[in-house]
Amino acid sequence: MAANMYRVGDYVYFENSSSNPYLVRRIEELNKTANGNVEAKVVCLFRRRDISSSLNNLADSNAREFEEESKQPGVSEQQRHQLKHRELFLSRQFESLPATHIRGKCSVTLLNETDILSQYLEKEDCFFYSLVFDPVQKTLLADQGEIRVGCKYQAEIPDRLAEGESDNRNQQKMEMKVWDPDNPLTDRQIDQFLVVARAVGTFARALDCSSSIRQPSLHMSAAAASRDITLFHAMDTLQRNGYDLAKAMSTLVPQGGPVLCRDEMEEWSASEAMLFEEALEKYGKDFNDIRQDFLPWKSLASIVQFYYMWKTTDRYIQQKRLKAAEADSKLKQVYIPTYTKPNPNQIISVGSKPGMNGAGFQKGLTCESCHTTQSAQWYAWGPPNMQCRLCASCWIYWKKYGGLKTPTQLEGAARGTTEPHSRGHLSRPEAQSLSPYTTSANRAKLLAKNRQTFLLQTTKLTRLARRMCRDLLQPRRAARRPYAPINANAIKAECSIRLPKAAKTPLKIHPLVRLPLATIVKDLAVAQAPLKPKTPRGTKTPINRNQLTQNRALGGIMVKRAYETMAGVPFSANGRPLASGIRSSSQPAAKRQKLNPADAPNPVVFVATKDTRALRKALTHLEMRRAARRPNLPLKVKPTLIAVRPSVPLPPPSHPASTNEPIVLED
């Protein structure tokens, strides 16, 4: 019961995806919505996998400095790898999440110099942080100020002067005496002078137009004149006049009028005070951020002085009471039952009910983290085509700590097989393609449209080798066989031998004849012009669906057609073209809309059978050329009876066919 009770201030796990690791958040508020659900206002904490590589390098340097200063004991590479999973980065980013997504509690502490890093690995659900991450500025800063030690921060006490020795220090840089407790005035005389100074301050505010607008009543002016700034000015006046009351009285009221002393409470306007309260609500007592984002025209000393004066006002007491009443009305804790629904990435065994990821996984695969082959439960991890999986304990480690136990898997070390990457390291389209709710067709479309382009730039030696060793390289032959390996080392070695000799004889440069621009534009216009099918003249003859001419039938079977030309041909459910006499729409074949190449199915390789090759030999040269000259014409392809020339013997069919059923020769 206590483990499922969550209170304000607890660090908890939130699950936003079934395959991604948990989010670590700190509960700030628990609010009840209008429909009865509970939402948690949380503070975001980020992992190393959530920040950029440059910030990771900065965090690594900070960790090395911490280890050197605190003299940490040595750890192994695997422990160092797992310590990166225990490090978090605090932020000032807030978000609201449903309380039903809470998956458990964890502990997050500020890293202290006395802590031993290896102790965090011994405790479950234990994290630490030392840096603050700003998601907007993309920066990492220290969470707390360091103890400032040195001559810049502490005063250096000089040695005591000997008797008769003169002080050679600059007296202007020394402190100045502002009050002498051994003055000739009594306490009553000093109090009477302070009353006079308050009265002069009240009179000065009555004469000042801006002060009369801000403090329209006499009580407000008298209260403003009774602040510490007036008392400090009166005591400073006594000190400067040698504690002579007559001279001090004349100094309070000079010839131009009474002296008006104001503090920060009077200098600030009402709008500036409202901005300060709003900034204090957002940033707390971080006066640097308050000045930078809300009050850049104010000095830091002015903001600090105003804050401590503002805490003495009724406004501060009123806000404190309102916050206390609001906190009493909010939820203090919420009970979330243990989440028991099965994970969609769980691999269902063969004997049980088939699940989302149960089909297609091969037996004998090991865990990608601990390399075990025995586990009570397996979970799919990484891209579906990689067939990667994790055991039950490694899956829990992945969900809680956002990584794998071994450093070779997460950091991309070389292994015998290709290393799968976690979904957190992929881009958004790739991560969407790995979602279990994405179909295979949409997944292929996402990956096809979002592949990143790359450039292979050759070196100067490679470009020289292409020209000097053309007899060994044979570029035209290599272009026709792109998958045949080329011995680049042998070609470079031969190039290094021929290079000194070739430097003495210049290369023969063949002049390149370039066509004029008008000719190129004309050729492009002719190439892009669509071919119009010729319509037969005269009366239309009905099409015999059982027989076609030998030339058209053989051309439809043996001539290779592009995908664009087959876009208008209707296909049946099994992928074979329908009969040519049956049209899928009322539009003619030449005007049908072409399909998008991105929606095209996977390429299919057709292997010609012995029968098809025999029929190609039976065709005359004129028939072959006629079919090759018309590749773009939409042909009505259908299984039909093919009349074979008597000169070409064909093997008997493997199945009996009736006289009315055509013989189908498939590629």
Side-chain angles (χ1 to χ4, degrees), residues 151-171:
C151 60
K152 295 183 179 180
Y153 312 108
Q154 278 80 30
E156 294 182 356
I157 302 175
D159 297 334
R160 183 176 180 179
L161 298 175
E163 294 183 2
E165 185 181 358
S166 61
D167 191 0
N168 298 326
R169 294 177 299 176
N170 188 2
Q171 298 297 327

mmCIF file with all atom_site columns, all heavy atoms in Angstrom, residues 151-171:
data_model
loop_
_atom_site.group_PDB
_atom_site.id
_atom_site.type_symbol
_atom_site.label_atom_id
_atom_site.label_alt_id
_atom_site.label_comp_id
_atom_site.label_asym_id
_atom_site.label_entity_id
_atom_site.label_seq_id
_atom_site.pdbx_PDB_ins_code
_atom_site.Cartn_x
_atom_site.Cartn_y
_atom_site.Cartn_z
_atom_site.occupancy
_atom_site.B_iso_or_equiv
_atom_site.pdbx_formal_charge
_atom_site.auth_seq_id
_atom_site.auth_comp_id
_atom_site.auth_asym_id
_atom_site.auth_atom_id
_atom_site.pdbx_PDB_model_num
ATOM 1   N N   . CYS A 1 151 ? 42.152 34.693 -2.604  1.00 0.00 ? 151 CYS A N   1
ATOM 2   C CA  . CYS A 1 151 ? 42.296 36.133 -2.359  1.00 0.00 ? 151 CYS A CA  1
ATOM 3   C C   . CYS A 1 151 ? 41.199 36.950 -3.004  1.00 0.00 ? 151 CYS A C   1
ATOM 4   O O   . CYS A 1 151 ? 40.969 38.102 -2.614  1.00 0.00 ? 151 CYS A O   1
ATOM 5   C CB  . CYS A 1 151 ? 43.671 36.594 -2.851  1.00 0.00 ? 151 CYS A CB  1
ATOM 6   S SG  . CYS A 1 151 ? 43.937 36.300 -4.619  1.00 0.00 ? 151 CYS A SG  1
ATOM 7   N N   . LYS A 1 152 ? 40.492 36.377 -4.000  1.00 0.00 ? 152 LYS A N   1
ATOM 8   C CA  . LYS A 1 152 ? 39.406 37.121 -4.626  1.00 0.00 ? 152 LYS A CA  1
ATOM 9   C C   . LYS A 1 152 ? 38.163 37.170 -3.753  1.00 0.00 ? 152 LYS A C   1
ATOM 10  O O   . LYS A 1 152 ? 37.298 38.025 -3.966  1.00 0.00 ? 152 LYS A O   1
ATOM 11  C CB  . LYS A 1 152 ? 39.052 36.492 -5.980  1.00 0.00 ? 152 LYS A CB  1
ATOM 12  C CG  . LYS A 1 152 ? 40.160 36.586 -7.014  1.00 0.00 ? 152 LYS A CG  1
ATOM 13  C CD  . LYS A 1 152 ? 39.691 35.998 -8.332  1.00 0.00 ? 152 LYS A CD  1
ATOM 14  C CE  . LYS A 1 152 ? 40.767 36.101 -9.406  1.00 0.00 ? 152 LYS A CE  1
ATOM 15  N NZ  . LYS A 1 152 ? 40.321 35.528 -10.698 1.00 0.00 ? 152 LYS A NZ  1
ATOM 16  N N   . TYR A 1 153 ? 38.054 36.262 -2.813  1.00 0.00 ? 153 TYR A N   1
ATOM 17  C CA  . TYR A 1 153 ? 36.829 36.153 -2.024  1.00 0.00 ? 153 TYR A CA  1
ATOM 18  C C   . TYR A 1 153 ? 37.065 36.359 -0.525  1.00 0.00 ? 153 TYR A C   1
ATOM 19  O O   . TYR A 1 153 ? 36.155 36.795 0.172   1.00 0.00 ? 153 TYR A O   1
ATOM 20  C CB  . TYR A 1 153 ? 36.191 34.765 -2.251  1.00 0.00 ? 153 TYR A CB  1
ATOM 21  C CG  . TYR A 1 153 ? 36.081 34.390 -3.708  1.00 0.00 ? 153 TYR A CG  1
ATOM 22  C CD1 . TYR A 1 153 ? 36.905 33.416 -4.256  1.00 0.00 ? 153 TYR A CD1 1
ATOM 23  C CD2 . TYR A 1 153 ? 35.174 35.036 -4.538  1.00 0.00 ? 153 TYR A CD2 1
ATOM 24  C CE1 . TYR A 1 153 ? 36.810 33.074 -5.593  1.00 0.00 ? 153 TYR A CE1 1
ATOM 25  C CE2 . TYR A 1 153 ? 35.070 34.708 -5.874  1.00 0.00 ? 153 TYR A CE2 1
ATOM 26  C CZ  . TYR A 1 153 ? 35.890 33.722 -6.405  1.00 0.00 ? 153 TYR A CZ  1
ATOM 27  O OH  . TYR A 1 153 ? 35.796 33.402 -7.729  1.00 0.00 ? 153 TYR A OH  1
ATOM 28  N N   . GLN A 1 154 ? 38.212 36.030 -0.022  1.00 0.00 ? 154 GLN A N   1
ATOM 29  C CA  . GLN A 1 154 ? 38.506 36.221 1.400   1.00 0.00 ? 154 GLN A CA  1
ATOM 30  C C   . GLN A 1 154 ? 39.553 37.336 1.570   1.00 0.00 ? 154 GLN A C   1
ATOM 31  O O   . GLN A 1 154 ? 40.454 37.479 0.725   1.00 0.00 ? 154 GLN A O   1
ATOM 32  C CB  . GLN A 1 154 ? 39.039 34.933 2.055   1.00 0.00 ? 154 GLN A CB  1
ATOM 33  C CG  . GLN A 1 154 ? 37.958 33.967 2.455   1.00 0.00 ? 154 GLN A CG  1
ATOM 34  C CD  . GLN A 1 154 ? 37.444 33.153 1.290   1.00 0.00 ? 154 GLN A CD  1
ATOM 35  O OE1 . GLN A 1 154 ? 38.188 32.897 0.368   1.00 0.00 ? 154 GLN A OE1 1
ATOM 36  N NE2 . GLN A 1 154 ? 36.186 32.751 1.333   1.00 0.00 ? 154 GLN A NE2 1
ATOM 37  N N   . ALA A 1 155 ? 39.415 38.090 2.660   1.00 0.00 ? 155 ALA A N   1
ATOM 38  C CA  . ALA A 1 155 ? 40.355 39.183 2.941   1.00 0.00 ? 155 ALA A CA  1
ATOM 39  C C   . ALA A 1 155 ? 41.655 38.628 3.501   1.00 0.00 ? 155 ALA A C   1
ATOM 40  O O   . ALA A 1 155 ? 41.653 37.676 4.286   1.00 0.00 ? 155 ALA A O   1
ATOM 41  C CB  . ALA A 1 155 ? 39.733 40.168 3.925   1.00 0.00 ? 155 ALA A CB  1
ATOM 42  N N   . GLU A 1 156 ? 42.724 39.211 3.082   1.00 0.00 ? 156 GLU A N   1
ATOM 43  C CA  . GLU A 1 156 ? 44.042 38.835 3.594   1.00 0.00 ? 156 GLU A CA  1
ATOM 44  C C   . GLU A 1 156 ? 44.399 39.781 4.753   1.00 0.00 ? 156 GLU A C   1
ATOM 45  O O   . GLU A 1 156 ? 44.546 40.989 4.556   1.00 0.00 ? 156 GLU A O   1
ATOM 46  C CB  . GLU A 1 156 ? 45.093 38.922 2.488   1.00 0.00 ? 156 GLU A CB  1
ATOM 47  C CG  . GLU A 1 156 ? 44.876 37.902 1.371   1.00 0.00 ? 156 GLU A CG  1
ATOM 48  C CD  . GLU A 1 156 ? 45.956 37.992 0.321   1.00 0.00 ? 156 GLU A CD  1
ATOM 49  O OE1 . GLU A 1 156 ? 46.827 38.904 0.445   1.00 0.00 ? 156 GLU A OE1 1
ATOM 50  O OE2 . GLU A 1 156 ? 45.952 37.187 -0.615  1.00 0.00 ? 156 GLU A OE2 1
ATOM 51  N N   . ILE A 1 157 ? 44.511 39.233 5.928   1.00 0.00 ? 157 ILE A N   1
ATOM 52  C CA  . ILE A 1 157 ? 44.794 40.048 7.111   1.00 0.00 ? 157 ILE A CA  1
ATOM 53  C C   . ILE A 1 157 ? 46.295 40.344 7.150   1.00 0.00 ? 157 ILE A C   1
ATOM 54  O O   . ILE A 1 157 ? 47.111 39.421 7.219   1.00 0.00 ? 157 ILE A O   1
ATOM 55  C CB  . ILE A 1 157 ? 44.349 39.318 8.391   1.00 0.00 ? 157 ILE A CB  1
ATOM 56  C CG1 . ILE A 1 157 ? 42.844 39.001 8.294   1.00 0.00 ? 157 ILE A CG1 1
ATOM 57  C CG2 . ILE A 1 157 ? 44.662 40.155 9.622   1.00 0.00 ? 157 ILE A CG2 1
ATOM 58  C CD1 . ILE A 1 157 ? 42.327 38.192 9.444   1.00 0.00 ? 157 ILE A CD1 1
ATOM 59  N N   . PRO A 1 158 ? 46.662 41.613 7.082   1.00 0.00 ? 158 PRO A N   1
ATOM 60  C CA  . PRO A 1 158 ? 48.104 41.943 7.116   1.00 0.00 ? 158 PRO A CA  1
ATOM 61  C C   . PRO A 1 158 ? 48.669 41.803 8.531   1.00 0.00 ? 158 PRO A C   1
ATOM 62  O O   . PRO A 1 158 ? 47.942 41.684 9.515   1.00 0.00 ? 158 PRO A O   1
ATOM 63  C CB  . PRO A 1 158 ? 48.135 43.399 6.644   1.00 0.00 ? 158 PRO A CB  1
ATOM 64  C CG  . PRO A 1 158 ? 46.809 43.952 7.036   1.00 0.00 ? 158 PRO A CG  1
ATOM 65  C CD  . PRO A 1 158 ? 45.826 42.809 6.940   1.00 0.00 ? 158 PRO A CD  1
ATOM 66  N N   . ASP A 1 159 ? 49.962 41.809 8.598   1.00 0.00 ? 159 ASP A N   1
ATOM 67  C CA  . ASP A 1 159 ? 50.625 41.736 9.895   1.00 0.00 ? 159 ASP A CA  1
ATOM 68  C C   . ASP A 1 159 ? 50.422 43.033 10.673  1.00 0.00 ? 159 ASP A C   1
ATOM 69  O O   . ASP A 1 159 ? 50.216 44.114 10.100  1.00 0.00 ? 159 ASP A O   1
ATOM 70  C CB  . ASP A 1 159 ? 52.118 41.464 9.700   1.00 0.00 ? 159 ASP A CB  1
ATOM 71  C CG  . ASP A 1 159 ? 52.358 40.116 9.021   1.00 0.00 ? 159 ASP A CG  1
ATOM 72  O OD1 . ASP A 1 159 ? 51.478 39.245 9.165   1.00 0.00 ? 159 ASP A OD1 1
ATOM 73  O OD2 . ASP A 1 159 ? 53.390 39.970 8.340   1.00 0.00 ? 159 ASP A OD2 1
ATOM 74  N N   . ARG A 1 160 ? 50.517 42.895 12.007  1.00 0.00 ? 160 ARG A N   1
ATOM 75  C CA  . ARG A 1 160 ? 50.326 44.068 12.861  1.00 0.00 ? 160 ARG A CA  1
ATOM 76  C C   . ARG A 1 160 ? 51.529 45.013 12.727  1.00 0.00 ? 160 ARG A C   1
ATOM 77  O O   . ARG A 1 160 ? 52.681 44.585 12.685  1.00 0.00 ? 160 ARG A O   1
ATOM 78  C CB  . ARG A 1 160 ? 50.166 43.625 14.307  1.00 0.00 ? 160 ARG A CB  1
ATOM 79  C CG  . ARG A 1 160 ? 49.879 44.774 15.264  1.00 0.00 ? 160 ARG A CG  1
ATOM 80  C CD  . ARG A 1 160 ? 49.632 44.234 16.655  1.00 0.00 ? 160 ARG A CD  1
ATOM 81  N NE  . ARG A 1 160 ? 49.355 45.335 17.584  1.00 0.00 ? 160 ARG A NE  1
ATOM 82  C CZ  . ARG A 1 160 ? 49.087 45.167 18.870  1.00 0.00 ? 160 ARG A CZ  1
ATOM 83  N NH1 . ARG A 1 160 ? 49.079 43.930 19.387  1.00 0.00 ? 160 ARG A NH1 1
ATOM 84  N NH2 . ARG A 1 160 ? 48.831 46.204 19.634  1.00 0.00 ? 160 ARG A NH2 1
ATOM 85  N N   . LEU A 1 161 ? 51.196 46.307 12.648  1.00 0.00 ? 161 LEU A N   1
ATOM 86  C CA  . LEU A 1 161 ? 52.253 47.303 12.514  1.00 0.00 ? 161 LEU A CA  1
ATOM 87  C C   . LEU A 1 161 ? 53.012 47.448 13.822  1.00 0.00 ? 161 LEU A C   1
ATOM 88  O O   . LEU A 1 161 ? 52.428 47.433 14.907  1.00 0.00 ? 161 LEU A O   1
ATOM 89  C CB  . LEU A 1 161 ? 51.667 48.652 12.099  1.00 0.00 ? 161 LEU A CB  1
ATOM 90  C CG  . LEU A 1 161 ? 50.954 48.694 10.731  1.00 0.00 ? 161 LEU A CG  1
ATOM 91  C CD1 . LEU A 1 161 ? 50.322 50.065 10.508  1.00 0.00 ? 161 LEU A CD1 1
ATOM 92  C CD2 . LEU A 1 161 ? 51.904 48.351 9.613   1.00 0.00 ? 161 LEU A CD2 1
ATOM 93  N N   . ALA A 1 162 ? 54.270 47.618 13.707  1.00 0.00 ? 162 ALA A N   1
ATOM 94  C CA  . ALA A 1 162 ? 55.096 47.855 14.906  1.00 0.00 ? 162 ALA A CA  1
ATOM 95  C C   . ALA A 1 162 ? 54.929 49.280 15.414  1.00 0.00 ? 162 ALA A C   1
ATOM 96  O O   . ALA A 1 162 ? 54.365 50.145 14.729  1.00 0.00 ? 162 ALA A O   1
ATOM 97  C CB  . ALA A 1 162 ? 56.553 47.575 14.578  1.00 0.00 ? 162 ALA A CB  1
ATOM 98  N N   . GLU A 1 163 ? 55.372 49.507 16.608  1.00 0.00 ? 163 GLU A N   1
ATOM 99  C CA  . GLU A 1 163 ? 55.241 50.845 17.186  1.00 0.00 ? 163 GLU A CA  1
ATOM 100 C C   . GLU A 1 163 ? 56.119 51.823 16.416  1.00 0.00 ? 163 GLU A C   1
ATOM 101 O O   . GLU A 1 163 ? 57.309 51.588 16.184  1.00 0.00 ? 163 GLU A O   1
ATOM 102 C CB  . GLU A 1 163 ? 55.655 50.818 18.655  1.00 0.00 ? 163 GLU A CB  1
ATOM 103 C CG  . GLU A 1 163 ? 54.734 49.992 19.532  1.00 0.00 ? 163 GLU A CG  1
ATOM 104 C CD  . GLU A 1 163 ? 55.135 50.040 20.994  1.00 0.00 ? 163 GLU A CD  1
ATOM 105 O OE1 . GLU A 1 163 ? 56.107 50.758 21.298  1.00 0.00 ? 163 GLU A OE1 1
ATOM 106 O OE2 . GLU A 1 163 ? 54.496 49.357 21.793  1.00 0.00 ? 163 GLU A OE2 1
ATOM 107 N N   . GLY A 1 164 ? 55.484 52.927 16.021  1.00 0.00 ? 164 GLY A N   1
ATOM 108 C CA  . GLY A 1 164 ? 56.193 53.953 15.265  1.00 0.00 ? 164 GLY A CA  1
ATOM 109 C C   . GLY A 1 164 ? 56.242 53.707 13.776  1.00 0.00 ? 164 GLY A C   1
ATOM 110 O O   . GLY A 1 164 ? 56.719 54.567 13.018  1.00 0.00 ? 164 GLY A O   1
ATOM 111 N N   . GLU A 1 165 ? 55.734 52.577 13.298  1.00 0.00 ? 165 GLU A N   1
ATOM 112 C CA  . GLU A 1 165 ? 55.747 52.283 11.862  1.00 0.00 ? 165 GLU A CA  1
ATOM 113 C C   . GLU A 1 165 ? 54.532 52.913 11.192  1.00 0.00 ? 165 GLU A C   1
ATOM 114 O O   . GLU A 1 165 ? 53.405 52.825 11.694  1.00 0.00 ? 165 GLU A O   1
ATOM 115 C CB  . GLU A 1 165 ? 55.748 50.765 11.638  1.00 0.00 ? 165 GLU A CB  1
ATOM 116 C CG  . GLU A 1 165 ? 55.881 50.377 10.174  1.00 0.00 ? 165 GLU A CG  1
ATOM 117 C CD  . GLU A 1 165 ? 55.859 48.871 9.985   1.00 0.00 ? 165 GLU A CD  1
ATOM 118 O OE1 . GLU A 1 165 ? 55.787 48.147 11.004  1.00 0.00 ? 165 GLU A OE1 1
ATOM 119 O OE2 . GLU A 1 165 ? 55.916 48.402 8.821   1.00 0.00 ? 165 GLU A OE2 1
ATOM 120 N N   . SER A 1 166 ? 54.724 53.541 10.069  1.00 0.00 ? 166 SER A N   1
ATOM 121 C CA  . SER A 1 166 ? 53.641 54.228 9.345   1.00 0.00 ? 166 SER A CA  1
ATOM 122 C C   . SER A 1 166 ? 52.900 53.237 8.451   1.00 0.00 ? 166 SER A C   1
ATOM 123 O O   . SER A 1 166 ? 53.475 52.251 7.965   1.00 0.00 ? 166 SER A O   1
ATOM 124 C CB  . SER A 1 166 ? 54.207 55.367 8.508   1.00 0.00 ? 166 SER A CB  1
ATOM 125 O OG  . SER A 1 166 ? 55.119 54.863 7.549   1.00 0.00 ? 166 SER A OG  1
ATOM 126 N N   . ASP A 1 167 ? 51.624 53.527 8.244   1.00 0.00 ? 167 ASP A N   1
ATOM 127 C CA  . ASP A 1 167 ? 50.771 52.686 7.391   1.00 0.00 ? 167 ASP A CA  1
ATOM 128 C C   . ASP A 1 167 ? 50.861 53.198 5.960   1.00 0.00 ? 167 ASP A C   1
ATOM 129 O O   . ASP A 1 167 ? 50.383 54.293 5.638   1.00 0.00 ? 167 ASP A O   1
ATOM 130 C CB  . ASP A 1 167 ? 49.327 52.726 7.896   1.00 0.00 ? 167 ASP A CB  1
ATOM 131 C CG  . ASP A 1 167 ? 48.467 51.678 7.211   1.00 0.00 ? 167 ASP A CG  1
ATOM 132 O OD1 . ASP A 1 167 ? 49.004 50.935 6.365   1.00 0.00 ? 167 ASP A OD1 1
ATOM 133 O OD2 . ASP A 1 167 ? 47.272 51.590 7.531   1.00 0.00 ? 167 ASP A OD2 1
ATOM 134 N N   . ASN A 1 168 ? 51.466 52.440 5.083   1.00 0.00 ? 168 ASN A N   1
ATOM 135 C CA  . ASN A 1 168 ? 51.664 52.846 3.692   1.00 0.00 ? 168 ASN A CA  1
ATOM 136 C C   . ASN A 1 168 ? 50.518 52.420 2.772   1.00 0.00 ? 168 ASN A C   1
ATOM 137 O O   . ASN A 1 168 ? 50.615 52.600 1.560   1.00 0.00 ? 168 ASN A O   1
ATOM 138 C CB  . ASN A 1 168 ? 52.970 52.253 3.161   1.00 0.00 ? 168 ASN A CB  1
ATOM 139 C CG  . ASN A 1 168 ? 54.185 52.750 3.924   1.00 0.00 ? 168 ASN A CG  1
ATOM 140 O OD1 . ASN A 1 168 ? 54.202 53.918 4.372   1.00 0.00 ? 168 ASN A OD1 1
ATOM 141 N ND2 . ASN A 1 168 ? 55.186 51.890 4.088   1.00 0.00 ? 168 ASN A ND2 1
ATOM 142 N N   . ARG A 1 169 ? 49.463 51.846 3.306   1.00 0.00 ? 169 ARG A N   1
ATOM 143 C CA  . ARG A 1 169 ? 48.350 51.409 2.468   1.00 0.00 ? 169 ARG A CA  1
ATOM 144 C C   . ARG A 1 169 ? 47.536 52.603 1.979   1.00 0.00 ? 169 ARG A C   1
ATOM 145 O O   . ARG A 1 169 ? 47.512 53.664 2.612   1.00 0.00 ? 169 ARG A O   1
ATOM 146 C CB  . ARG A 1 169 ? 47.442 50.458 3.245   1.00 0.00 ? 169 ARG A CB  1
ATOM 147 C CG  . ARG A 1 169 ? 48.116 49.142 3.605   1.00 0.00 ? 169 ARG A CG  1
ATOM 148 C CD  . ARG A 1 169 ? 47.201 48.275 4.423   1.00 0.00 ? 169 ARG A CD  1
ATOM 149 N NE  . ARG A 1 169 ? 46.821 48.901 5.680   1.00 0.00 ? 169 ARG A NE  1
ATOM 150 C CZ  . ARG A 1 169 ? 45.961 48.381 6.546   1.00 0.00 ? 169 ARG A CZ  1
ATOM 151 N NH1 . ARG A 1 169 ? 45.398 47.197 6.282   1.00 0.00 ? 169 ARG A NH1 1
ATOM 152 N NH2 . ARG A 1 169 ? 45.657 49.002 7.670   1.00 0.00 ? 169 ARG A NH2 1
ATOM 153 N N   . ASN A 1 170 ? 46.831 52.392 0.856   1.00 0.00 ? 170 ASN A N   1
ATOM 154 C CA  . ASN A 1 170 ? 45.979 53.443 0.306   1.00 0.00 ? 170 ASN A CA  1
ATOM 155 C C   . ASN A 1 170 ? 44.726 53.547 1.160   1.00 0.00 ? 170 ASN A C   1
ATOM 156 O O   . ASN A 1 170 ? 43.906 52.632 1.194   1.00 0.00 ? 170 ASN A O   1
ATOM 157 C CB  . ASN A 1 170 ? 45.622 53.114 -1.145  1.00 0.00 ? 170 ASN A CB  1
ATOM 158 C CG  . ASN A 1 170 ? 44.900 54.252 -1.838  1.00 0.00 ? 170 ASN A CG  1
ATOM 159 O OD1 . ASN A 1 170 ? 44.693 55.320 -1.257  1.00 0.00 ? 170 ASN A OD1 1
ATOM 160 N ND2 . ASN A 1 170 ? 44.535 54.022 -3.085  1.00 0.00 ? 170 ASN A ND2 1
ATOM 161 N N   . GLN A 1 171 ? 44.562 54.662 1.844   1.00 0.00 ? 171 GLN A N   1
ATOM 162 C CA  . GLN A 1 171 ? 43.451 54.817 2.770   1.00 0.00 ? 171 GLN A CA  1
ATOM 163 C C   . GLN A 1 171 ? 42.104 54.958 2.051   1.00 0.00 ? 171 GLN A C   1
ATOM 164 O O   . GLN A 1 171 ? 41.050 54.734 2.655   1.00 0.00 ? 171 GLN A O   1
ATOM 165 C CB  . GLN A 1 171 ? 43.694 56.044 3.660   1.00 0.00 ? 171 GLN A CB  1
ATOM 166 C CG  . GLN A 1 171 ? 44.939 55.935 4.530   1.00 0.00 ? 171 GLN A CG  1
ATOM 167 C CD  . GLN A 1 171 ? 44.851 54.791 5.521   1.00 0.00 ? 171 GLN A CD  1
ATOM 168 O OE1 . GLN A 1 171 ? 43.769 54.462 6.005   1.00 0.00 ? 171 GLN A OE1 1
ATOM 169 N NE2 . GLN A 1 171 ? 45.998 54.173 5.830   1.00 0.00 ? 171 GLN A NE2 1
#
